[in-house]
RNA sequence: CGCGGGGUAGAGCAGCCCGGAAGCUCGUUGGGCUCAUAACCCAAAGGUCGUGUGGUUCAAAUCCCACCCCCGCAACCA
């Protein structure tokens, strides 16, 4: 198969709290896709970064008496450590206050303005006369006209979403004084202009998108409205249009373009043309894939906003985004003890448990099509039963067979051989359809089948009966499966497969194709890979 | 009547698009094995598939309708 140009974009975590294990669960599919495509020989860029701007950052900085950047840096460090601990194989992980990113975002903004897709408009906005500035809905409180309770103005717990007239006479949360509605100059992105193109995009892709993406996108397409791309903030990417110098761009505008700016910067660093991955007219004969991995609350931004922005640039951008939208990882047990701080921060989890085994758990039990509840008990079951008892035990009973010092030479069982040969396509198809859960389950099936094969052959009896040939064939066949598991499991459990490759003295890089195992290698390095919890 | 995802043995899930004898893992019970981290293998028990004495059909977990519950969205939180 010919090489493909693959972008894996993972949603940008927001820098106002430590990275949560749920982020790992919903983003893992991205790392699996990237690793798989690299093994297939495709050119891959896997990108993301820390989303560091926005209203919340300013509010927090004020509350904590530091700069928004201080807060961003604090969490950015946490994100990087956690993502590294979980073996996320980013080609580029940046941060949105980075100069390169800001400059490119401004260039794109000007382009959209020149193309007539960003236009000036005047609208009434909440103005605090005491603070002397326009304030965001989340910075003011109102009395909800539906339930009668006091609430922040962006939305009420009762479900009501306030409209403009409800904001009349709202109270500023910063200074406590009344606000008023004032005319404000804003810059609007004409999202509604892309309705037809976005509908076609959905039509073209609805068979491979997950159901939640398709339906959620449909909902917005029916009534697309233009969006305010400017914000009255001090912290962010400056609006590069004359007359709007005191404003910043909407965080989503620039965070979404981060996928592009990351690729551009990576291209400069590594000396390749970033357009290979994003432009239809560059390497047009190569298939392109752009995966966007995120949780369900992010759907419309990736399926509508980003493609619309790329279309608006009118520069041959590839917009056939492959939506990989996860549901939510919930933690019922955790909500109870949240006030005491819970142990479900990603970095903390990485220190308490084996990260490969957690990756395996999320690949098998993650929120792929519906919310998944995470508890330590259910994780312990996956770890002890699937990872240790089934997989690690297969390694040990094969490679640490009593008295075995070197791997005997034998003939691989024909049925096992064919099964292993076929499973590459089966698992590969699942991964390319972003059915990670099914892919993982297929691999687990192979492991269980191999344990069954082992039992059926009874190598302990073959060994005693001095049926050396049969014994050698049995062990060699199982070792052959293990060797191929170092490939098949590489996208899911990269640290473990590296250790197993080491045991089997496999020197070549992992590839998505059948490999053989070397006979007569020493087995004295083999040791247990996991401990039970 | 706002929109979307979900509700399947004690637990966690698959099956639903495209209707055709309810599957998988864990747990439980019984048996086997002794290579392996008390791991592995075989077998059994366990479900009116959220509710409906609702519709379509020869046939419904699957299609249609009504209702209930959990989660998300609802465009200035990101």
């Amino acid at each position: 198969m010919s090489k493909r140009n693959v972008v894996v974009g993972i949603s940008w975590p927001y820098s106002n709290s430590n990275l949560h294990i749920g982020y790992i669960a919903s983003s893992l599919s991205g790392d699996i896709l990237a690793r798989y495509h690299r093994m297939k020989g495709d050119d891959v860029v896997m990108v993301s970064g820390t989303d560091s701007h926005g209203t919340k950052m300013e509010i927090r900085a004020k509350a904590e008496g530091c700069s928004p950047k201080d807060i961003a840096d604090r969490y950015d460090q946490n994100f990087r450590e956690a993502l590294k601990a979980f073996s996320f194989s980013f080609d580029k992980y940046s941060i949105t206050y980075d100069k390169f990113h800001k400059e490119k975002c401004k260039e794109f903004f000007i382009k959209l303005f020149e193309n007539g897709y960003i236009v000036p408009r005047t609208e009434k906005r909440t103005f605090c006369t005491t603070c002397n500035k326009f304030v965001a809905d989340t910075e003011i409180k109102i009395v909800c006209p539906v339930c009668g309770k006091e609430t922040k103005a962006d939305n009420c717990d009762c479900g009501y979403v306030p409209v403009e007239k409800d904001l009349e006479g709202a109270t500023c949360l910063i200074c406590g004084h009344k606000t008023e509605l004032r005319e404000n100059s804003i810059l609007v992105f004409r999202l509604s202009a892309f309705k037809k193109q976005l509908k076609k995009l959905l039509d073209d892709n609805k068979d491979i998108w997950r159901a939640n993406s398709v339906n959620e996108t449909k909902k917005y397409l029916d009534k697309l409205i233009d969006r305010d791309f400017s914000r009255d903030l001090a912290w962010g990417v400056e609006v590069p249009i004359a007359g709007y110098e005191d404003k910043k761009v909407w965080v989503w505008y620039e965070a979404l373009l981060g996928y592009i700016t990351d690729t551009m910067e990576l291209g400069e660093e590594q000396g390749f043309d970033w357009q290979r991955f994003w432009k239809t007219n560059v390497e047009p004969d190569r298939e392109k894939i752009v995966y966007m991995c995120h949780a369900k609350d992010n759907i419309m931004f990736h399926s509508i906003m980003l493609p619309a922005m790329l279309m608006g640039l009118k520069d041959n951008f590839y917009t056939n985004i492959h939506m990989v939208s996860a549901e939510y990882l919930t933690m019922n047990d955790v909500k109870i003890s949240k006030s005491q701080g819970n142990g479900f921060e990603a970095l903390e989890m990485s220190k308490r448990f084996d990260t490969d085994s957690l990756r395996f758990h999320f690949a098998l039990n993650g929120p792929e099509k519906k919310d998944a509840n995470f508890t330590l008990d259910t994780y312990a079951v996956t770890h002890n039963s699937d990872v240790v008892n089934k997989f690690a035990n297969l390694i040990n009973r094969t490679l640490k067979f009593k008295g075995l010092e070197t791997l005997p030479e034998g003939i691989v069982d024909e049925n096992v051989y064919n099964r292993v040969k076929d499973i590459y396509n089966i698992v590969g198809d699942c991964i390319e359809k972003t059915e990670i859960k099914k892919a993982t389950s297929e691999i687990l099936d192979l492991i269980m089948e191999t344990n069954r094969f082992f039992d059926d052959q009874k190598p302990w009896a073959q060994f005693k009966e001095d049926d050396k040939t049969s014994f050698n064939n049995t062990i060699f066949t199982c070792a052959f499966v293990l060797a191929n598991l170092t490939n098949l499991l590489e996208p899911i459990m990269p640290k473990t497969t590296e250790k197993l490759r080491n045991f089997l003295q496999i020197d070549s890089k992992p590839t998505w194709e059948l490999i053989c195992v070397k006979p007569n290698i020493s087995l004295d390095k083999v040791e247990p890979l996991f401990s039970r919890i």
Side-chain angles (χ1 to χ4, degrees):
Chain A
M1 185 186 282
S2 54
K3 277 190 167 197
R4 297 169 285 185
N5 294 346
V6 179
V7 176
V8 177
I10 297 180
S11 63
W12 294 48
Y14 194 51
S15 58
N16 72 338
S17 63
N18 283 340
L19 200 70
H20 197 264
I21 196 73
Y23 179 86
I24 301 291
S26 58
S27 307
L28 178 64
S29 53
D31 192 54
I32 291 173
L33 283 162
R35 289 174 179 275
Y36 164 80
H37 277 288
R38 289 188 195 110
M39 288 172 74
K40 289 286 280 187
D42 296 329
D43 286 341
V44 177
V45 291
M46 170 171 155
V47 294
S48 186
T50 298
D51 185 4
S52 65
H53 292 137
T55 313
K56 276 187 185 174
M57 298 300 290
E58 266 195 15
I59 296 173
R60 273 202 62 177
K62 203 161 285 173
E64 295 184 23
C66 59
S67 74
K69 183 173 178 299
D70 291 338
I71 295 171
D73 285 340
R74 188 194 311 161
Y75 293 116
D76 179 62
Q77 191 185 348
N78 173 271
F79 296 170
R80 285 170 198 265
E81 281 179 37
L83 292 166
K84 190 180 172 198
F86 277 93
S87 307
F88 273 55
S89 57
F90 286 111
D91 294 290
K92 178 112 199 136
Y93 185 91
S94 61
I95 186 162
T96 53
Y97 70 59
D98 172 73
K99 192 179 170 206
F100 184 95
H101 170 76
K102 289 176 78 171
E103 290 311 310
K104 294 299 171 190
C105 283
K106 286 184 207 172
E107 287 172 25
F108 287 133
F109 199 96
I110 292 166
K111 195 84 181 279
L112 285 173
F113 186 82
E114 286 171 352
N115 288 349
Y117 292 113
I118 291 179
V119 294
R121 208 169 276 177
T122 308
E123 280 187 11
K124 280 193 174 166
R125 288 294 147 97
T126 313
F127 187 85
C128 178
T129 47
T130 312
C131 300
N132 194 34
K133 64 168 200 149
F134 286 96
V135 285
D137 288 355
T138 144
E139 293 176 296
I140 54 174
K141 64 179 177 184
I142 58 164
V143 173
C144 174
V146 173
C147 69
K149 287 181 186 160
E150 261 198 356
T151 176
K152 283 188 184 180
D154 50 351
N155 64 56
C156 178
D157 288 342
C158 75
Y160 178 72
V161 181
V163 295
E164 188 183 295
K165 69 174 171 55
D166 302 323
L167 305 180
E168 200 97 43
T171 308
C172 175
L173 283 170
I174 302 162
C175 66
H177 290 88
K178 290 274 180 215
T179 60
E180 61 181 48
L181 290 177
R182 240 185 227 190
E183 293 288 331
N184 190 9
S185 302
I186 61 172
L187 288 168
V188 164
F189 178 60
R190 292 176 49 226
L191 184 59
S192 55
F194 300 95
K195 186 167 182 170
K196 210 172 158 187
Q197 288 178 75
L198 289 168
K199 275 202 163 147
K200 183 175 184 307
L201 185 68
L202 176 66
D203 270 350
D204 291 348
N205 292 286
K206 61 179 179 233
D207 292 338
I208 54 169
W209 284 8
R210 290 184 180 165
N212 57 1
S213 308
V214 173
N215 291 320
E216 187 75 8
T217 302
K218 245 183 221 163
K219 173 176 85 180
Y220 283 93
L221 283 181
D222 288 338
K223 35 182 176 178
L224 275 183
I225 62 172
D226 298 342
R227 302 274 309 227
D228 181 356
F229 265 26
S230 59
R231 292 290 184 277
D232 295 281
L233 288 172
W235 171 243
V237 178
E238 300 77 16
V239 172
I241 306 294
Y244 298 86
E245 290 89 348
D246 54 337
K247 295 180 191 292
K248 302 292 180 288
V249 305
W250 182 40
V251 280
W252 269 110
Y253 161 81
E254 43 120 351
L256 287 166
L257 286 179
Y259 300 119
I260 313 276
T261 62
D262 268 2
T263 314
M264 294 169 99
E265 195 171 14
L266 189 68
E268 283 194 7
E269 288 164 1
Q270 299 187 351
F272 67 80
D273 180 4
W274 66 274
Q275 300 180 99
R276 299 172 55 214
F277 293 92
W278 287 103
K279 298 286 186 77
T280 54
N281 59 335
V282 178
E283 295 189 356
D285 45 341
R286 274 223 198 174
E287 188 187 341
K288 290 181 176 63
I289 309 176
V290 175
Y291 295 106
M292 289 287 147
C293 309
H294 46 257
K296 60 180 165 184
D297 54 344
N298 263 240
I299 290 173
M300 77 82 84
F301 298 104
H302 291 85
S303 69
I304 292 185
M305 289 302 310
L306 179 59
M309 279 153 50
L310 297 180
M311 289 164 184
L313 289 168
K314 288 191 163 178
D315 197 12
N316 296 303
F317 272 95
Y318 180 78
T319 53
N320 264 306
I321 286 164
H322 190 142
M323 295 287 289
V324 189
S325 313
E327 292 288 313
Y328 264 28
L329 190 72
T330 62
M331 271 139 290
N332 291 346
D333 301 6
V334 174
K335 279 176 186 160
I336 303 161
S337 62
K338 206 162 190 178
S339 54
Q340 301 147 28
N342 62 64
F344 289 81
E345 284 170 5
L347 189 56
E348 196 177 325
M349 289 291 284
S350 76
K351 288 170 182 162
R352 289 172 67 195
F353 303 105
D354 185 281
T355 51
D356 266 10
S357 138
L358 278 167
R359 283 173 65 110
F360 187 88
H361 176 70
F362 291 133
L364 190 62
N365 302 302
E368 191 167 299
K369 287 180 183 163
K370 59 182 174 187
D371 292 352
N373 189 33
F374 180 79
T375 66
L376 287 182
D377 285 348
T378 54
Y379 164 59
V381 169
T382 307
H383 177 81
N384 288 331
S385 173
D386 295 332
V387 175
V388 179
N389 293 354
K390 294 192 177 100
F391 173 51
N393 183 47
L394 177 63
I395 298 171
N396 284 341
R397 68 197 305 212
T398 303
L399 303 182
K400 293 303 265 182
F401 195 96
K402 195 160 72 180
L404 205 63
E405 283 170 7
T406 58
L407 182 67
E409 185 158 12
I411 297 162
V412 176
D413 179 90
E414 195 185 336
N415 291 331
V416 173
Y417 181 90
N418 287 328
R419 169 73 171 130
V420 171
K421 194 172 128 227
D422 292 343
I423 202 169
Y424 278 92
N425 286 333
I426 296 171
V427 175
D429 284 349
C430 289
I431 293 177
E432 293 198 27
K433 282 191 274 182
T434 73
E435 292 178 358
I436 306 302
K437 195 176 264 207
K438 186 143 183 268
T440 312
S441 163
E442 291 286 348
I443 297 169
L444 191 55
D445 282 348
L446 175 67
I447 292 168
M448 291 191 284
E449 287 162 27
T450 310
N451 269 320
R452 242 168 265 145
F453 172 83
F454 194 103
D455 272 84
D456 290 346
Q457 297 299 310
K458 300 183 175 57
W460 55 90
Q462 294 169 331
F463 192 75
K464 274 183 194 151
E465 286 156 17
D466 213 18
D467 187 0
K468 212 60 189 167
T469 310
S470 300
F471 173 81
N472 289 351
N473 289 346
T474 303
I475 297 296
F476 193 73
T477 297
C478 291
F480 164 79
V481 176
L482 293 180
N484 283 284
L485 281 172
T486 67
N487 283 341
L488 293 161
L489 280 172
E490 153 72 20
I492 304 170
M493 309 178 87
K495 286 179 186 158
T496 304
T497 51
E498 192 182 339
K499 287 180 199 158
L500 185 53
R501 264 199 301 279
N502 202 17
F503 292 166
L504 294 169
Q505 298 182 24
I506 300 168
D507 307 322
S508 54
K509 281 195 168 180
T511 53
W512 202 256
E513 57 193 16
L514 196 76
I515 55 167
C516 295
V517 63
K518 284 184 217 160
N520 304 317
I521 54 170
S522 164
L523 297 173
D524 53 4
K525 271 194 289 185
V526 180
E527 56 182 30
L529 293 174
F530 304 93
S531 33
R532 304 169 62 78
I533 54 176

